[in-house]
Amino acid sequence: MTPHPRIVVEPPDARGLRQVTVDGEPAGGAWSERDLRRVLRHAGVPDDVDLADRATVYWHNADSSVWEQRPWHRRATITVMAAGLFGSMALLVDVGSVDAVNALTFAGRLTGLLFVLFGALAGVAAVASFDYWGKRTLRSSGALVLAGTLITLVSTGLLCFLWLQGLEYTPHLFAFVPLWLWSLWSVWMLCRSRAWESVPHPRRFTAGLTTTALLTTINVTYSSVYQPYATQPVALVEAKFGTPRPDPKLAAIHLPLTIRIENTGMIPLYAIASQYQVEGRRSAFEQRGRNDTRGEWQKDRKESKDSEFYAGSATFQRVGSGSIISNGYWFETKERFTQEIVIQVPRDADFNAVTAQAWVTFLRKDRVRIADEFKLPSYSWEKGAKKISLPKDDPGRKRVSYVAYQGEISHGNNFINVTRRVRYLTSWREIDKKGEEKYVSTISPAGSPDELAGELERRERYGMITGTSRRSAISFAALMNP
């Protein structure tokens, strides 16, 4: 008859786990009598061993009736802890992977890569949580769970901070806010269980975790706050008349117009709307001079009209207009674009001058991405055209026709995107019943430019600027006698 090996069952620890040794060698821990038989089987002890035989089994300081009191509490803790860490992994990888591959700046890509690495660590910590809240066979499981929890606390805290700046609804809100609350609970639970005691090198662990958290915070702050505002975009727009030439066959004068656009700054720019306008200027000559009363002066200032002593109030008639460059075209730094246009002016026109001006609206390319759909025009007079919501007409102005462009835009930093509502870029040219033409560009949530509240803030956030040329003018007398 083969003798049974000597078995010692230690008293339960604070969690109710009892360590087991067989022939003086550690065999593992057991939560219950059924679990004890499983441990003994793995140690080579026969299944029919009599646990009540004192000659075979020694129950140290507690008999066979003393086991874990609340197994459901431990299992619930494991479930919540692992679910939170797996959720953190999914969020961090989802947020970071976009910037790690597509961020518009090096700092943004570095931050995205750090978030992906943090997500991977959170996944490892989720697996380690089963061991730490279980039998703790791995010495480093507590350190991994603690690291994953603290990373979640810092990362979701940064996302909450960015969200508080806008207080807008976003689907990710239901991820990072609950995870931030979960991380507070997890840190409290880990402090209660003194998880840091299992850290192999506490000082190195603390220094490494603190350095990583500071690096992440600095990168997010630099790429989201400092960098976009440290360097301002600069663009030059010019419109100049050339030498007029009379048409040999027609009663018209050909007036060349050169429009030049140059990105003179250090930031790449999108051109999202452009227009030039050539107008004939009329003003009646007054030999004796105007009776320039204060009322007339105030009227001219209010209507932004020119005021001359020997000429009446000026009126303008559109001679030519159009777009300069395709919407969505982007300029590298120092890149220049030139367009040559020829305007025909009737010789018998009653103008005393012809003026020209050009406008281009830009977006910073280092701060925003524009969907390709923005490049597709929608014509209001065509049936089946894409429905685009435009702001209500100004009082006294009735929109007749328009050409509109609209597309979703996203911030160059994905941490901003997940904490803000979706934004749409809308640009359109319109004409009213009076024949007056204008162009407008807006950035608005939910694709509705009617939501103009915070428009200035959005323009600044996405780096929208408008470059306007000086008004170029040539007298009609110079046209007739080039």
Side-chain angles (χ1 to χ4, degrees), residues 20 27-30 34-44 135:
V20 181
R34 181 180 179 182
D35 194 23
L36 173 61
R37 289 191 177 278
R38 187 183 301 111
V39 172
L40 294 177
R41 188 183 309 117
H42 289 162
K135 296 182 179 181

Side-chain angles (χ1 to χ4, degrees), residues 4-318:
H4 289 291
R6 183 70 175 174
I7 302 169
V8 177
V9 183
E10 299 293 342
D13 60 16
R15 300 180 301 137
L17 182 67
R18 304 190 72 166
Q19 296 297 326
V20 181
T21 58
V22 177
D23 289 336
E25 295 293 331
W31 296 106
S32 63
E33 185 173 317
R34 181 180 179 182
D35 194 23
L36 173 61
R37 289 191 177 278
R38 187 183 301 111
V39 172
L40 294 177
R41 188 183 309 117
H42 289 162
V45 178
D47 290 339
D48 60 349
V49 64
D50 184 5
L51 298 179
D53 183 4
R54 294 189 176 183
T56 303
V57 181
Y58 175 60
W59 299 88
H60 187 203
N61 289 343
D63 60 25
S64 60
S65 64
V66 182
W67 296 100
E68 182 183 17
Q69 297 297 313
R70 296 186 298 170
W72 61 268
H73 183 269
R74 177 177 57 85
R75 295 189 185 104
T77 302
I78 292 176
T79 301
V80 176
M81 186 68 66
L85 287 168
F86 278 127
S88 176
M89 176 190 70
L91 175 66
L92 296 179
V93 172
D94 177 60
V95 173
S97 59
V98 176
D99 279 346
V101 177
N102 298 318
L104 301 177
T105 62
F106 174 76
R109 293 196 177 194
L110 179 59
T111 306
L113 181 60
L114 284 174
F115 265 59
V116 172
L117 294 176
F118 290 164
L121 179 57
V124 174
V127 176
S129 66
F130 290 95
D131 179 76
Y132 181 73
W133 296 104
K135 296 182 179 181
R136 297 183 181 175
T137 57
L138 298 175
R139 184 184 178 188
S140 60
S141 61
L144 288 172
V145 176
L146 181 60
T149 301
L150 291 176
I151 283 174
T152 303
L153 177 65
V154 173
S155 303
T156 55
L158 284 173
L159 292 175
C160 288
F161 170 74
L162 293 174
W163 176 79
L164 287 172
Q165 293 180 337
L167 294 175
E168 296 178 357
Y169 169 77
T170 168
H172 286 85
L173 184 66
F174 298 103
F176 59 77
V177 171
L179 282 174
W180 181 70
L181 296 174
W182 168 88
S183 65
L184 294 176
W185 169 81
S186 298
V187 170
W188 175 69
M189 290 291 293
L190 292 169
C191 288
R192 285 185 58 190
S193 64
R194 304 178 71 85
W196 62 82
E197 293 181 349
S198 64
V199 177
H201 304 284
R203 291 185 179 180
R204 293 180 183 178
F205 176 83
T206 303
L209 199 61
T210 302
T211 302
T212 304
L214 287 174
L215 180 62
T216 304
T217 303
I218 291 172
N219 274 328
V220 171
T221 303
Y222 177 78
S223 59
S224 303
V225 180
Y226 174 76
Q227 189 181 41
Y229 296 95
T231 306
Q232 296 301 316
V234 183
L236 174 67
V237 180
E238 287 184 342
K240 290 185 177 181
F241 286 123
T243 303
R245 292 287 186 266
D247 191 293
K249 296 181 180 180
L250 302 176
I253 299 172
H254 298 287
L255 179 59
L257 175 64
T258 301
I259 299 175
R260 184 167 70 95
I261 306 170
E262 183 178 357
N263 180 6
T264 56
M266 303 302 296
I267 302 169
L269 299 173
Y270 283 111
I272 60 171
S274 62
Q275 181 180 2
Y276 73 88
Q277 187 156 303
V278 179
E279 296 177 312
R281 179 183 181 274
R282 295 187 183 95
S283 58
F285 179 69
E286 297 186 10
Q287 181 71 35
R288 297 183 178 181
R290 291 179 60 186
N291 183 19
D292 201 4
T293 63
R294 186 175 64 178
E296 291 178 345
W297 183 87
Q298 292 174 345
K299 181 180 179 181
D300 287 343
R301 299 288 76 73
K302 187 174 182 179
E303 297 179 358
S304 300
K305 292 183 177 180
D306 295 340
S307 180
E308 297 183 41
F309 185 72
Y310 290 101
S313 297
T315 61
F316 294 87
Q317 177 182 323
R318 181 162 51 90

